[in-house]
Amino acid sequence: MKNHLYVNKRTAWLFALVLGSTCLNANSQQLDSLKATPLFAPGMSQSNPFLTSSTGPLVSSSISGTTIAKTPVPNVTNALYGRLQGLIVRQNSGEPGYDAATLNIRGLGTYDNSDLVICVDGFITTSSYFQYLSPSEIESITVLKDPASLAAFGMKGANGVLWIVTKRGTISKPQIQFNLVTGLQQALRINKPYGSYDYARLYNQAISNDNYALNNNTFVWSPKYTDAQLQAYQNGTAPSVDWYAETLKKYGRYQNANLSFTGGDQVSKYAVILDYMKQTGLYNVPTSATTSNAQIQRFNLRTNLDFKFFKIFEARVDLGGRIEDRQYPNYNGPKLWRNLASYPSNIYQVRDGNTQNWSGTSLFPDNPVASLLALGRIATHDRTLQANFNLKENLDFITPGLSIGQAISFNTWTRNTLGRTASYARFNNGVNTTTDKATDIASIGSSPTNQYNWQQITLNAAYKRSVGKHALSADLNYFLSDYMLDWNINASGLNTGNNIFYHYQNLGGQFQYSYDDKYLLALSAGYSGSDNYAPGNRWAFYPALSLGWVVSKEDFLAQNKAITFLKVRASAGQSGFDQSNQGRYLYQQYFTGSGTYYTGNNGLNGNSGIAPSYAANPEIRAERNTGYNVGVDLQLWNKLSLTADGFFNKRTGIVTVDYTLPGVFGANPPYRNLGIVSNKGFELALNFTDKVGDVKYHLNAMTLYAHNQVKQMGEVAPVNAFSRLTGQRIQTTLGLQAVGFYDVTDFNADGTLKSGIAQPTFGSVQPGDIRYKDTDGNGKVDLNDVSPMKYTSLPEWTYAFDAGLSYKSFDFSVLLQGAAHRSVNLLNTDQAVAFVDNTNVYPSAGQAWAYYPDQGIDTRATATYPRFTTKANMNNYLNSTFWMKNGSFLRVRNIEIGYTLPSQLLHKIHLENVRIYVNATNPFTWSYLSKHYNIDPETISGYAGLKTYNTGITLSF
């Protein structure tokens, strides 16, 4: 059975002929009065796609590349905080080359794949291609979120779309601009564990607590570390290694320089942009032939050309190429940071005192310093190219406003890996403690690692016409996509692997009508086909409708001096998404190895058996979103503007394992389109701009509230209704309700709990353990008592404040961004579990429950952490309200002050503009987690998030 969608040449040529003869378009300059919303669909190339024009009926959010450049960061996703209304940005890591933020539009609408679709110059790209675009290349970024604008994307629109347009030439004399920025980067927050003295002091409590049962259920002080050993840790005569200080340095470096050439005339225009960026990490290791800091350097070259010829033709050639070189120590980065967090400071010195070899033991084999200096280095070399070729025919000689167009895009990426590696022997007190042997550095050469190849074709046509007070436009776009990638970077889920070809088609269209620029109508639709589904289920239709009313053009408001603009709008539409994290081709039956059966007469031979991976479902199809949006755009006194939107989305057909089938089904259950999620909320944006004398200033504020709820997910009914995930937020954590700690008075002399106290089922407990609520009141605490925790890691509220002012040649701006209704589970951090599995202990555990009155230790009334133990303790480290903490925060994302040199001086040296500036990225943060746990609220573990202090200069010729 074929798994792919194909279009033969005859069909493609026939479709092009039909479009050329029947579909309509127009030159936008002929219809200034309409200002119609352009069609956004894969393959369409809009040079200025702002949907919030005065008469457009849809809603979107846009930002210019100039604004993005105000936040100098290596990865452009980290410059989007608080800049685009409706876009939620979440930092994951600060590691050079792997620091991309997670992007979501208006929250989450599915518990399956929530990835955005990203289009650069009208063609779909990977997120990695977008992430390392330079702001100097970007003209604008637009968030498409209105259901009517997403319908034209068909099966690619349900999660929202990020629409990026790169810079083009303009009709002007040749212009040259040079930008240079250099900065120092520091960790936002390094949460260090206790040193050796406090580690040993508290370890004595843990060992003594572990002997509670052996001492007839009484607390008897039985320390491991003597007073002399504690004194040695205090005075520095025993090992007390600050692994963070030994491994990290105070700052890394960031540099970015770009040079752009633009210009053109009526016949041709050009934009050529060269960009270089380098970022070095925080590791305290030199970059040499055998070692390397974490670093990335990027070379970007973009050439965008526009041509007009023979009166009817317009051609565009867009070439965007990039080289990325990454280097790292030959050791897994996340594992290194886990070792820094978990290796106690008293295990050994960095170097073995007897042999001066690298220290290490079988229990703690990977000396963090040696991991950087003794294992060599690994490097990757990436090459990326997006080449777009567009041709448009203006057919005004047939009828004014008619045009057709064709475009093709080639997007390729390859990666090579090379390195120089070695190993080292581990010693402790003069003894070789592991089987590792020291080896000389050896080259592993350069070898191909990964690649992808993406080809896209589009045929489009449009028509615009204005007659009196009537204005209309129509657009139609056909899109074909063939994507191929290596099996080892294929998507997650079943049946991916060698199924490396992705085929997709879409027919998108939009019709708009306006009467007197007051009454607005837009109809749009997408008809999509994906090879993920069986014939008969591959294609789906997604319609949409949008209405608008420019109230301020009515006679009763036309002369109003206060209300200078007022528009109300509403839209409804559908879109889909065809890429599920559950897997591909779920309508086909795949098999997996299962067990062994034996055959043979003279002897038995084992043979591998097979069994169905799951029960195939021939009816599987793409999930569908039905969305509604109502909004208002208001401007008062030409100074204060307000945009407000309310939205509701209902996602149906989410691919889900059907666990509701009875056990007698006899096979792994099928995947079905049974999931349903609702997502609703509102957006509000305010902007005030004014001038007082020579002082110009602006104040902006925006907020987003998005609340989702799982309506159906094929959940097996739990014992108690309050344990259901159905009806809760996506990614909700189930946990127990903590009600304090067990006290010595809660136990009988034999160590059992007194009558009337609910019995936990997670192993034996003793004083100092976390006590949980018996939610169902059956006299015992077990996993049937779990209930949903209040919030998830995805904030329900995001907000931002932006202010700026300029006075003569000086300018100042500041951007603050925050999040609320967000929780963080401390069990997902490195500091939650103390001592168990030979881990570390952090200051947040410094007030652990302890009761040794003879030693002057009694924290029962003030304890904020359960009793210490070195043994596995399931009871204390279950998901519960004890570990769920407030993850809300407010952060200064960017603050900048600049000075522009006087034009009189510049003219003398043949310069048009020179501006120098200093700025800081992420310099200040306010959060509960930072205050009480010394944890950054966004990067709670692993490579630390970064703050940057920059200086820069911009010159224009």
Side-chain angles (χ1 to χ4, degrees):
M1 181 181 294
K2 293 183 178 180
N3 298 328
H4 311 309
L5 259 68
Y6 293 103
V7 171
N8 59 41
K9 292 182 179 179
R10 180 179 300 175
T11 303
W13 282 110
L14 178 61
F15 198 90
L17 180 62
V18 172
L19 283 177
S21 61
T22 63
C23 298
L24 310 175
N25 191 4
N27 190 315
S28 61
Q29 294 178 353
Q30 297 175 326
L31 204 57
D32 290 338
S33 61
L34 176 60
K35 299 179 184 177
T37 299
L39 169 66
F40 286 84
M44 294 297 291
S45 299
Q46 301 293 340
S47 60
N48 189 27
F50 296 107
L51 294 182
T52 52
S53 61
S54 63
T55 58
L58 309 183
V59 60
S60 70
S61 305
S62 295
I63 186 177
S64 68
T66 302
T67 303
I68 297 171
K70 285 182 173 291
T71 305
V73 288
N75 193 307
V76 72
T77 60
N78 293 314
L80 302 181
Y81 291 96
R83 297 293 192 184
L84 286 161
Q85 180 71 21
L87 184 68
I88 299 175
V89 186
R90 290 182 287 165
Q91 176 73 65
N92 297 307
S93 170
E95 184 177 14
Y98 296 98
D99 55 350
T102 299
L103 306 178
N104 299 106
I105 294 176
R106 289 181 167 178
L108 286 177
T110 178
Y111 53 78
D112 197 356
N113 189 343
S114 60
D115 290 346
L116 306 184
V117 167
I118 299 174
C119 293
V120 176
D121 288 333
F123 290 97
I124 301 175
T125 67
T126 64
S127 60
S128 59
Y129 178 80
F130 162 64
Q131 290 163 13
Y132 284 99
L133 287 177
S134 166
S136 63
E137 299 177 74
I138 297 173
E139 177 67 29
S140 66
I141 298 178
T142 299
V143 172
L144 303 181
K145 52 195 174 181
D146 190 285
S149 61
L150 296 174
F153 284 85
M155 287 184 190
K156 299 298 183 185
N159 293 333
V161 175
L162 214 58
W163 187 273
I164 295 94
V165 176
T166 60
K167 290 181 178 178
R168 313 201 67 79
T170 59
I171 298 176
S172 67
K173 65 179 182 179
Q175 296 179 333
I176 302 174
Q177 186 176 83
F178 174 73
N179 295 286
L180 174 65
V181 59
T182 181
L184 300 178
Q185 296 187 317
Q186 293 181 317
L188 279 168
R189 196 171 291 271
I190 296 293
N191 183 34
K192 292 185 179 182
Y194 274 134
S196 293
Y197 170 75
D198 288 310
Y199 175 90
R201 175 179 61 84
L202 298 176
Y203 194 91
N204 285 343
Q205 289 186 23
I207 288 294
S208 301
N209 292 338
D210 290 343
N211 294 329
Y212 174 80
L214 297 177
N215 292 314
N216 296 319
N217 302 308
T218 57
F219 288 106
V220 177
W221 188 248
S222 48
K224 175 184 177 179
Y225 294 97
T226 65
D227 290 342
Q229 288 175 305
L230 293 175
Q231 182 63 35
Y233 288 137
Q234 275 191 310
N235 61 29
T237 57
S240 185
V241 179
D242 183 341
W243 291 112
Y244 284 97
E246 294 289 339
T247 305
L248 306 180
K249 55 185 180 180
K250 292 183 178 180
Y251 58 84
R253 292 187 177 275
Y254 169 76
Q255 294 122 8
N256 184 219
N258 56 75
L259 183 64
S260 64
F261 305 86
T262 59
D265 52 31
Q266 295 289 346
V267 176
S268 63
K269 294 177 288 187
Y270 61 91
V272 179
I273 302 166
L274 299 90
D275 187 278
Y276 171 75
M277 183 277 296
K278 184 175 182 180
Q279 179 192 18
T280 57
L282 298 175
Y283 299 142
N284 188 19
V285 54
T287 297
S288 66
T290 58
T291 61
S292 179
N293 199 342
Q295 69 175 47
I296 178 175
Q297 59 179 350
R298 183 201 70 210
F299 305 87
N300 291 43
L301 173 60
R302 175 166 296 279
T303 302
N304 288 350
L305 306 175
D306 296 80
F307 305 99
K308 289 184 177 182
F309 50 96
F310 302 137
K311 294 185 180 180
I312 68 170
F313 292 105
E314 297 180 17
R316 302 196 333 178
V317 177
D318 302 341
L319 302 175
R322 183 167 72 231
I323 294 175
E324 299 167 23
D325 289 317
R326 294 171 171 85
Q327 295 184 34
Y328 301 94
N330 182 30
Y331 192 85
N332 180 270
K335 186 177 180 181
L336 174 64
W337 284 83
R338 285 195 298 270
N339 291 346
L340 292 176
S342 62
Y343 275 25
S345 57
N346 66 344
I347 52 176
Y348 43 65
Q349 299 285 6
V350 175
R351 294 273 188 174
D352 179 55
N354 296 326
T355 66
Q356 290 305 302
N357 289 305
W358 294 111
S359 295
T361 65
S362 58
L363 191 59
F364 302 101
D366 295 338
N367 182 322
V369 180
S371 297
L372 297 179
L373 295 174
L375 295 176
R377 68 176 194 173
I378 294 292
T380 61
H381 178 75
D382 294 13
R383 293 176 179 267
T384 307
L385 173 67
Q386 185 192 42
N388 303 337
F389 303 92
N390 297 265
L391 181 64
K392 177 182 177 182
E393 297 85 23
N394 293 309
L395 305 181
D396 293 331
F397 62 90
I398 297 177
T399 183
L402 174 64
S403 69
I404 59 174
Q406 308 82 35
I408 187 169
S409 175
F410 302 95
N411 187 196
T412 64
W413 168 78
T414 61
R415 167 171 288 182
N416 273 36
T417 300
L418 60 157
R420 296 170 63 86
T421 64
S423 184
Y424 66 94
R426 278 77 164 168
F427 282 81
N428 191 38
N429 296 324
V431 178
N432 193 340
T433 58
T434 70
T435 59
D436 298 286
K437 303 297 181 182
T439 62
D440 293 332
I441 198 81
S443 174
I444 62 173
S446 176
S447 59
T449 307
N450 300 121
Q451 64 179 339
Y452 72 71
N453 184 38
W454 205 336
Q455 299 176 2
Q456 302 169 67
I457 298 174
T458 183
L459 306 170
N460 57 72
Y463 176 76
K464 294 182 181 179
R465 195 64 180 266
S466 177
V467 179
K469 295 183 178 181
H470 304 275
L472 63 87
S473 70
D475 298 87
L476 188 63
N477 178 70
Y478 169 74
F479 173 74
L480 172 66
S481 168
D482 286 302
Y483 178 54
M484 179 187 71
L485 73 168
D486 278 352
W487 67 271
N488 56 349
I489 56 170
N490 207 346
S492 61
L494 296 169
N495 313 333
T496 53
N498 290 330
N499 290 321
I500 61 175
F501 299 95
Y502 291 76
H503 301 283
Y504 176 77
Q505 297 180 57
N506 183 68
L507 181 63
Q510 189 176 91
F511 170 82
Q512 293 189 53
Y513 169 78
S514 95
Y515 176 76
D516 199 21
D517 286 346
K518 289 192 294 187
Y519 310 110
L520 316 170
L521 167 69
L523 301 173
S524 57
Y527 183 57
S528 298
S530 171
D531 68 339
N532 273 338
Y533 313 108
N537 292 324
R538 288 177 174 172
W539 290 86
F541 180 68
Y542 304 96
L545 166 69
S546 181
L547 300 171
W549 178 26
V550 183
V551 186
S552 55
K553 287 184 174 290
E554 298 290 356
D555 292 341
F556 58 84
L557 278 180
Q559 303 302 318
N560 192 295
K561 295 182 179 179
I563 302 176
T564 50
F565 180 77
L566 174 62
K567 178 176 66 176
V568 294
R569 43 189 165 71
S571 60
Q574 293 186 327
S575 54
F577 203 72
D578 67 322
Q579 299 300 317
S580 170
N581 288 334
Q582 305 302 326
R584 306 189 68 199
Y585 309 139
L586 298 175
Y587 68 91
Q588 291 184 328
Q589 187 63 68
Y590 280 73
F591 295 84
T592 186
S594 177
T596 304
Y597 66 95
Y598 296 90
T599 59
N601 294 322
N602 299 324
L604 296 179
N605 298 315
N607 303 276
S608 298
I610 62 171
S613 299
Y614 54 89
N617 176 12
E619 298 302 319
I620 204 79
R621 62 188 67 218
E623 61 185 58
R624 180 179 292 262
N625 184 71
T626 302
Y628 306 90
N629 192 97
V630 294
V632 59
D633 302 313
L634 173 66
Q635 188 179 68
L636 302 175
W637 305 291
N638 285 319
K639 296 180 180 180
L640 175 65
S641 62
L642 176 148
T643 299
D645 283 273
F647 61 89
F648 176 81
N649 294 292
K650 183 178 182 181
R651 190 75 60 94
T652 58
I654 301 173
V655 179
T656 308
V657 181
D658 189 358
Y659 288 117
T660 62
L661 293 173
V664 295
F665 179 71
N668 291 329
Y671 290 82
R672 291 181 173 169
N673 296 104
L674 55 81
I676 301 174
V677 169
S678 68
N679 183 41
K680 60 184 178 181
F682 64 86
E683 298 176 356
L684 181 65
L686 293 168
N687 173 267
F688 183 78
T689 303
D690 201 0
K691 177 181 178 181
V692 179
D694 291 330
V695 178
K696 300 176 182 178
Y697 65 94
H698 72 266
L699 300 170
N700 301 326
M702 65 173 68
T703 188
L704 165 68
Y705 171 78
H707 174 81
N708 64 68
Q709 185 180 44
V710 178
K711 298 292 187 179
Q712 185 173 322
M713 58 181 294
E715 181 182 18
V716 176
V719 172
N720 296 307
F722 56 73
S723 299
R724 288 175 61 86
L725 285 171
T726 304
Q728 304 302 321
R729 300 173 179 86
I730 296 171
Q731 300 175 354
T732 288
T733 298
L734 292 177
L736 297 166
Q737 301 293 318
V739 291
F741 304 108
Y742 290 110
D743 191 61
V744 291
T745 59
D746 295 325
F747 293 84
N748 299 309
D750 61 358
T752 60
L753 285 167
K754 290 183 177 179
S755 176
I757 299 177
Q759 300 293 316
T761 60
F762 314 116
S764 60
V765 295
Q766 67 185 57
D769 286 331
I770 298 176
R771 182 173 178 175
Y772 301 110
K773 180 181 179 181
D774 177 17
T775 309
D776 59 8
N778 64 354
K780 62 180 179 180
V781 177
D782 55 22
L783 293 181
N784 292 324
D785 290 300
V786 296
S787 59
M789 301 291 97
K790 190 172 184 181
Y791 299 118
T792 70
S793 60
L794 178 73
E796 285 192 332
W797 286 92
T798 55
Y799 55 92
F801 305 97
D802 173 33
L805 62 86
S806 63
Y807 173 72
K808 295 184 177 180
S809 297
F810 293 92
D811 61 87
F812 170 82
S813 64
V814 61
L815 171 67
L816 294 89
Q817 184 267 332
H821 282 197
R822 174 178 182 265
S823 292
V824 169
N825 189 344
L826 289 184
L827 293 177
N828 295 330
T829 70
D830 297 315
Q831 67 169 281
V833 181
F835 298 124
V836 178
D837 292 330
N838 303 296
T839 55
N840 230 320
V841 60
Y842 282 77
S844 59
Q847 284 296 307
W849 193 100
Y851 182 56
Y852 295 96
D854 291 343
Q855 281 68 41
I857 301 173
D858 184 358
T859 64
R860 293 177 299 168
T862 59
T864 57
Y865 190 89
R867 67 174 178 91
F868 289 128
T869 178
T870 64
K871 300 178 180 180
N873 188 320
M874 181 180 179
N875 181 86
N876 287 350
Y877 303 112
L878 292 166
N879 286 331
S880 72
T881 54
F882 183 86
W883 300 109
M884 299 296 293
K885 301 300 179 183
N886 181 1
S888 302
F889 65 89
L890 173 63
R891 175 167 282 165
V892 177
R893 291 294 181 182
N894 186 72
I895 185 168
E896 178 176 293
I897 184 168
Y899 176 74
T900 301
L901 271 63
S903 57
Q904 299 89 337
L905 173 63
L906 297 179
H907 290 160
K908 296 179 181 179
I909 54 177
H910 306 290
L911 291 173
E912 288 191 1
N913 183 72
V914 175
R915 179 176 179 268
I916 56 176
Y917 59 90
V918 294
N919 66 29
T921 301
N922 300 330
F924 307 110
T925 302
W926 299 270
S927 77
Y928 176 88
L929 289 173
S930 299
K931 180 178 179 180
H932 296 281
Y933 295 92
N934 199 30
I935 296 176
D936 181 73
E938 290 189 287
T939 51
I940 62 175
S941 61
Y943 199 109
L946 300 173
K947 54 185 174 182
T948 309
Y949 302 94
N950 304 291
T951 60
I953 185 170
T954 299
L955 299 90
S956 298
F957 301 87

